[in-house]
Amino acid sequence: YFSGGQVIRTRIDLKIANLKAGIAMMGSQNPMPRIVDVKVGCQGLAAFFDYTLDDRGKPRGEALESVVVVDIGGSTTDIVSIVRGGQTIDQSASGAARLGVLDVHTLLTEKLTADLGFPVRLTPAAIDRACRTGQIKINRADRDVSGLVREAVGDVGAQIVREVERRIGKAATVDAVLFVGGGAALFKDVVQHWSGVEVVADGEMANARGLLKYARSRG
């Protein structure tokens, strides 16, 4: 959505055109719904709606002037600075960094190889389990690798924090800094050492919840 602090309008227009084209199902006798209008927005706004609206789509608590959403995914971390009570995105303080959970997986594999003294090849399920439990099976026996996991998470997490600070500084005047996405829970111990942040509970569902709440607020 952003590149170099600017909204990428050409890509947004292509996305809208693609979605408006609709689909056809071979062999179906039922007409497919016709897409009348398409709006493409910044994904971080959905997490903002989740934080500021209740389950009925009504505002909860006092209005917040400024909120920063940090959405940590598999390969990217999206930073969205929302100001003026959700009415404006500060493009200069928003953007994406190529950092995420997969970087932890790569670094952990390298550390495991160095620790064991031979190359290791882990399935995605095995390395995900290692990150969540600190355990890995070697020669059919569980091995504690929690220390290596902490090192990998700490190294990548520090890079993410530096990238966030590069865009918004220490966020001393920001009302809330929200960490969401599938990687938020993995990095929770790292980012909580940075003042003024909140790791949203069940953060991987924040965007989906936010879109539902926004739809209800418009109804």
Side-chain angles (χ1 to χ4, degrees), residues 6 9 11-12 46 50 60-61 69-70 84 99 122-124 132 135 153 172 180-181 190 194 196 205-208 216:
Q6 300 294 321
R9 295 293 179 189
R11 291 189 179 180
I12 292 173
D50 177 50
R60 58 181 177 186
V69 175
V70 182
R84 297 181 185 175
L99 292 165
L122 300 174
T123 65
R132 288 186 292 103
Q135 299 287 320
V153 170
V180 301
V190 176
W194 188 44
M205 297 300 295
N207 290 330
R216 287 174 174 169

Side-chain angles (χ1 to χ4, degrees), residues 76-94:
T76 60
T77 293
D78 297 320
I79 303 162
V80 183
S81 179
I82 303 158
V83 297
R84 297 181 185 175
Q87 301 301 311
T88 305
I89 294 176
D90 181 355
Q91 296 182 23
S92 64
S94 302

Side-chain angles (χ1 to χ4, degrees), residues 63-75:
L64 301 178
E65 177 62 24
S66 59
V67 173
V68 174
V69 175
V70 182
D71 188 345
I72 305 175
S75 57

